[in-house]
Amino acid sequence: MATANLSRKSGVIVGDDVHKLFKYAQEKKFAIPAINVTSSSTVVASLEAARDKKAPIILQMSQGGAAYFAGKGVANDKQQASIAGAVAGAHYIRSVAASYEIPVILHTDHCAKKLLPWLDGMMDADEAYYKEHGEPLFSSHMIDLSEEEVDFNIQTTAKYLKRAQPMKQEIGITGGEEDGVNNEEVDNNALYTQPEDIYNIHKTLSAISPYFSIAAGFGNVHGVYKPGNVKLHPELLGKHQAYVKEQTGSKDEKPAFLVFHGGSGSSKAEYSEAISHGVVKVNLDTDLQYAYLTGIRDYVLKKKDYIMSQVGNPEGEDKPNKKYFDPRVWVREGEKTMSARVQEGLVDFNTANQL
């Protein structure tokens, strides 16, 4: 059972518990889906799915998602909306997560160089929370400097790793577009991280702390593309692990915690092979955005004649329509379809029934 060695069995977990859960995932060959959440509604949909499938889950906020959590009407020229939204979202998740009786990793996603002030603000909140509670507000953060030079990437991440743990490190570059970063025109070779780079990251960061994971590029892209447009090579991850093992003399066959970014639209076989090579986390976003839409879309199309006015529908011109246009009704339909898609991911990644 995944929670057997955890000091906290449900709610947001941190530190050693995160490390133990990742190691257990490698041993049992499953990965934990990382769900981009932008509201209390998407949080609820994700938590329900994990609870119903008896699985741990990662809830994460991107810089744009965090700003949305604060409200689109809040200025964000200095990342103030993204900081406020991330902190608010974190406190909300901490408040409700334990009610679902599953372990939850609270994470932030894809912090590029220009967004480092966002990370600084969140880490200020981490340190304030630590002073009061003895643990950081967030379980982890990810710095995405894959658009920068490798040395800058590693040394900057090392600097932040010294300040707060656990920290995630992504190396390589991802095609597609997420939060306004578009890498579709890059040389295809740049989508594949080299084993020497993975070892260099591992050597540098492991000297500071064991709390890090690496998102190695193996052809990943963000978004969903037509079949054949994206060529994933998850077998490269096995070569990365073997190289790190050889160079470090580790007895562990999978010495690095690896992350699969750009998971939407991938095949189950691709997921399975990546997980067999030590991937412990798979990002899901695009598929879930569409899943959330479908529930609301189908409800609106089905109930169209009941939501065109507050009063009057096919059952009578004086019939009230409040029970149809109440947001708790149609928003809930989006939660249901998103939750069903999260459950699908939990099955695909072998996360289901690990609790």
Side-chain angles (χ1 to χ4, degrees):
M1 180 178 290
T3 56
N5 295 322
L6 303 186
S7 63
R8 185 176 297 163
K9 310 297 184 184
S10 64
V12 173
I13 63 173
V14 298
D16 284 338
D17 281 344
V18 173
H19 192 272
K20 290 175 182 176
L21 183 57
F22 282 169
K23 181 51 65 178
Y24 184 84
Q26 285 187 331
E27 292 171 358
K28 299 300 181 181
K29 295 185 178 180
F30 71 88
I32 307 168
I35 311 302
N36 280 68
V37 294
T38 57
S39 64
S40 61
S41 179
T42 51
V43 169
V44 165
S46 305
L47 290 173
E48 281 190 2
R51 179 200 62 197
D52 293 348
K53 285 298 183 182
K54 299 180 174 58
I57 199 151
I58 300 170
L59 300 183
Q60 63 186 18
M61 286 174 277
S62 67
Q63 180 261 357
Y68 188 84
F69 225 115
K72 294 293 285 184
V74 179
N76 204 29
D77 57 305
K78 297 180 180 178
Q79 302 299 325
Q80 60 268 47
S82 292
I83 294 167
V87 171
H91 281 288
Y92 171 72
I93 291 168
R94 278 186 169 273
S95 296
V96 301
S99 299
Y100 290 83
E101 301 181 332
I102 56 169
V104 177
I105 295 173
L106 177 53
H107 182 60
T108 63
D109 188 35
H110 284 287
C111 182
K113 182 180 179 181
K114 65 182 180 181
L115 304 180
L116 287 174
W118 172 51
L119 177 59
D120 292 333
M122 292 188 294
M123 293 182 70
D124 289 344
D126 280 323
E127 290 167 344
Y129 194 88
Y130 184 87
K131 288 180 181 178
E132 186 174 352
H133 300 281
E135 62 184 54
L137 178 60
F138 295 89
S139 307
S140 54
H141 301 288
M142 194 203 84
I143 303 174
D144 183 0
L145 301 177
S146 55
E147 293 182 308
E148 313 303 325
E149 294 293 329
V150 171
D151 286 345
F152 179 83
N153 186 353
I154 297 174
Q155 294 308 316
T156 302
T157 301
K159 181 185 73 172
Y160 279 99
L161 186 57
K162 291 176 183 178
R163 179 180 176 186
Q165 313 171 39
M167 188 70 70
K168 290 197 327 184
Q169 163 80 30
E170 180 172 4
I171 284 296
I173 195 167
T174 51
E177 185 172 350
E178 179 167 75
D179 282 353
V181 178
N182 190 337
N183 297 320
E184 292 179 6
E185 302 303 322
V186 299
D187 182 347
N188 193 55
N189 290 331
L191 298 175
Y192 303 97
T193 310
Q194 301 304 307
E196 293 81 6
D197 292 334
I198 299 299
Y199 169 62
N200 193 17
I201 297 164
H202 191 277
K203 179 177 67 173
T204 302
L205 299 186
S206 62
I208 300 168
S209 165
Y211 302 117
F212 64 92
S213 56
I214 304 169
F218 55 101
N220 329 43
V221 296
H222 290 107
V224 176
Y225 293 75
K226 291 182 180 179
N229 283 10
V230 176
K231 292 181 172 59
L232 291 179
H233 290 280
E235 72 278 3
L236 295 176
L237 301 178
K239 295 180 180 179
H240 296 339
Q241 295 281 22
Y243 189 79
V244 173
K245 181 179 186 295
E246 176 188 356
Q247 294 299 313
T248 61
S250 174
K251 296 180 180 179
D252 196 333
E253 292 297 321
K254 303 168 189 173
F257 293 142
L258 299 179
V259 176
F260 187 154
H261 279 178
S264 292
S266 300
S267 70
K268 186 173 181 179
E270 289 167 337
Y271 289 137
S272 296
E273 182 170 4
I275 291 168
S276 75
H277 297 310
V279 163
V280 296
K281 170 180 176 281
V282 181
N283 278 17
L284 282 182
D285 186 24
T286 306
D287 282 358
L288 301 181
Q289 291 176 343
Y290 187 71
Y292 190 93
L293 166 68
T294 60
I296 297 173
R297 177 200 66 193
D298 293 349
Y299 176 84
V300 169
L301 292 174
K302 182 178 179 181
K303 300 295 184 182
K304 177 179 178 293
D305 294 334
Y306 292 81
I307 59 174
M308 299 305 291
S309 61
Q310 292 191 51
V311 178
N313 60 50
E315 298 174 23
E317 61 181 19
D318 61 344
K319 296 293 185 180
N321 292 323
K322 186 179 188 307
K323 66 180 180 180
Y324 300 107
F325 64 73
D326 185 332
R328 291 172 294 181
V329 177
W330 52 269
V331 169
R332 178 60 181 161
E333 294 304 309
E335 292 173 359
K336 289 177 183 177
T337 46
M338 177 179 171
S339 189
R341 181 61 184 86
V342 174
Q343 290 190 43
E344 183 181 328
L346 290 166
V347 172
D348 287 347
F349 307 158
N350 197 32
T351 334
N353 298 313
Q354 293 291 347
L355 299 181

